[in-house]
Amino acid sequence: TKKRKQRCCLADIAADNAVLETVNCNLCGATDERLLFLKDGFGIVRCNSCGLIFVNPRPGKEYLRKIYSEDYYKISSDGSVGYRDYEADRQFHAVNSIKLLKTIESYKNKGTLLDVGCALGFFLVEAKARGWDVYGTELSPYAAGIAREKGFEVLSGDIMDAGFKKESFDVIVCLGTIEHFANPLLSIRHIRQLLKADALFVISTPDAGGLLGGRRFQYKPREHLYYFTRKTIMALLQKEGFEVFFIKSEWLTKPISFITERVRYYFPVLKNFITALETVAKKTGVLNTNLSIPTGQIIVYAKKVSN
């Protein structure tokens, strides 16, 4: 049965990787959930009370702490954890960062900005160049060290341990970060305390209710613990004192090589065909052509509601 198969897979993971922990729904606290499917041996469940989708049981803190190593940013063959080559895609991170900053600046004058989960600091580089006073936090000691080498004040650790003063920031961004949080509700509660009264909070995260983001192949339970729909991300933000005023599907600039690499991972049956296609395309330089593509993510703009 599905439940027996889940128990076997979870036992294997517990033996190989980490002690697993069972959690209640982070949004409403309920324990009534339904198993949707298994991915990489983990159960993806949906809360029957509020609809939040999450991994349960999930890897414990020790396992999660280990995966954000240098290898996380330079994977890997299968793409199930981390990035193909984060540094190699720097020019695309820069283009997408500038695009996002222009949108942020249409809502908010430049001031203090905190990037929660800043990785190697590419967004901080572009924000500083545009006149922002920038700071970062990053779970990966490796990535935080790289960002600090660029001259930024970046804490290696969880946002709740950062030690920033209350009401310090005009803008806080969580770009592809909230789905990694062990406790999104408490993290957002803390983030609210760090924002000034009229501040802006920007989140991007996979859209579990979307046509692309909701596909089973988009789930990465060894690192993404939570999967939000527009309804559940808005409910979480509203619960913690935010008003969502703009939400949309995210499109990013990516090279064709990124697209072929993703197709190879998501659809293994096409591996040989994609490899042959890339061999031909390399001779023409087409693989380096940039395209604006849907990512399967949503980007959410919210403002802090006064007490």
Side-chain angles (χ1 to χ4, degrees):
T1 66
K2 184 183 285 188
K3 287 187 177 180
R4 186 179 299 125
K5 185 186 292 185
Q6 181 189 20
R7 286 196 295 269
C8 292
C9 292
L10 293 175
D12 291 341
I13 291 169
D16 294 340
N17 294 322
V19 173
L20 299 173
E21 60 182 19
T22 301
V23 294
N24 296 350
C25 175
N26 193 249
L27 178 53
C28 72
T31 58
D32 182 22
E33 64 193 39
R34 179 169 68 91
L35 177 66
L36 298 179
F37 57 87
L38 298 173
K39 179 70 184 290
D40 296 337
F42 290 96
I44 308 296
V45 305
R46 175 186 283 125
C47 175
N48 286 327
S49 296
C50 69
L52 181 66
I53 300 171
F54 55 103
V55 180
N56 204 25
R58 70 187 192 188
K61 292 181 180 178
E62 289 303 316
Y63 172 72
L64 295 173
R65 193 174 293 123
K66 290 177 181 177
I67 67 171
Y68 299 113
S69 64
E70 181 175 356
D71 290 342
Y72 181 83
Y73 295 90
K74 299 178 179 179
I75 60 173
S76 112
S77 51
D78 67 2
S80 62
V81 175
Y83 297 91
R84 177 180 60 85
D85 190 332
Y86 198 85
E87 180 67 40
D89 292 335
R90 179 171 185 163
Q91 61 176 313
F92 305 105
H93 294 300
V95 169
N96 294 315
S97 294
I98 292 170
K99 179 181 177 181
L100 177 57
L101 284 162
K102 287 180 178 178
T103 303
I104 289 173
E105 290 161 8
S106 70
Y107 296 114
K108 189 68 185 171
N109 293 330
K110 295 170 186 175
T112 52
L113 182 148
L114 173 64
D115 185 357
V116 180
C118 67
L120 307 186
F122 295 149
F123 186 79
L124 297 179
V125 168
E126 303 307 325
K128 183 178 180 180
R130 296 178 67 84
W132 289 88
D133 182 18
V134 299
Y135 301 84
T137 66
E138 172 53 53
L139 283 175
S140 166
Y142 162 76
I146 297 295
R148 283 195 291 267
E149 289 176 2
K150 297 172 182 175
F152 301 118
E153 184 175 330
V154 174
L155 171 87
S156 175
D158 191 276
I159 179 60
M160 291 187 287
D161 301 322
F164 294 116
K165 293 182 180 179
K166 292 183 178 181
E167 300 189 354
S168 296
F169 297 101
D170 296 290
V171 173
I172 294 181
V173 299
C174 283
L175 308 177
T177 303
I178 188 173
E179 61 271 15
H180 297 259
F181 287 158
N183 194 324
L185 185 142
L186 287 184
S187 296
I188 288 178
R189 184 175 300 171
H190 184 75
I191 285 170
R192 186 182 184 279
Q193 295 175 351
L194 300 181
L195 287 165
K196 297 178 182 178
D198 59 345
L200 182 66
F201 184 33
V202 181
I203 295 174
S204 68
T205 191
D207 181 6
L211 182 62
L212 180 59
R215 304 287 290 181
R216 187 175 299 193
F217 60 70
Q218 290 275 38
Y219 285 72
K220 301 171 71 174
R222 284 190 280 171
E223 56 175 309
H224 292 176
L225 304 180
Y226 291 92
Y227 300 88
F228 296 94
T229 62
R230 296 185 182 215
K231 179 181 177 180
T232 54
I233 193 65
M234 290 177 68
L236 182 64
L237 288 166
Q238 289 166 358
K239 184 174 183 177
E240 292 307 315
F242 288 95
E243 176 188 345
V244 175
F245 64 89
F246 187 47
I247 182 169
K248 67 172 184 176
S249 299
E250 185 179 50
W251 287 61
L252 295 177
T253 298
K254 295 287 187 179
I256 289 179
S257 59
F258 170 86
I259 299 171
T260 58
E261 183 270 330
R262 290 288 85 187
V263 170
R264 182 188 291 109
Y265 166 59
Y266 293 142
F267 306 102
V269 69
L270 298 176
K271 180 179 178 179
N272 292 337
F273 172 74
I274 293 297
T275 300
L277 189 65
E278 286 177 329
T279 300
V280 175
K282 282 179 181 178
K283 298 177 181 179
T284 64
V286 170
L287 288 178
N288 296 322
T289 301
N290 299 344
L291 294 176
S292 181
I293 62 171
T295 62
Q297 298 206 139
I298 46 175
I299 188 157
V300 186
Y301 295 80
K303 60 182 179 181
K304 179 177 177 179
V305 178
S306 301
N307 292 326

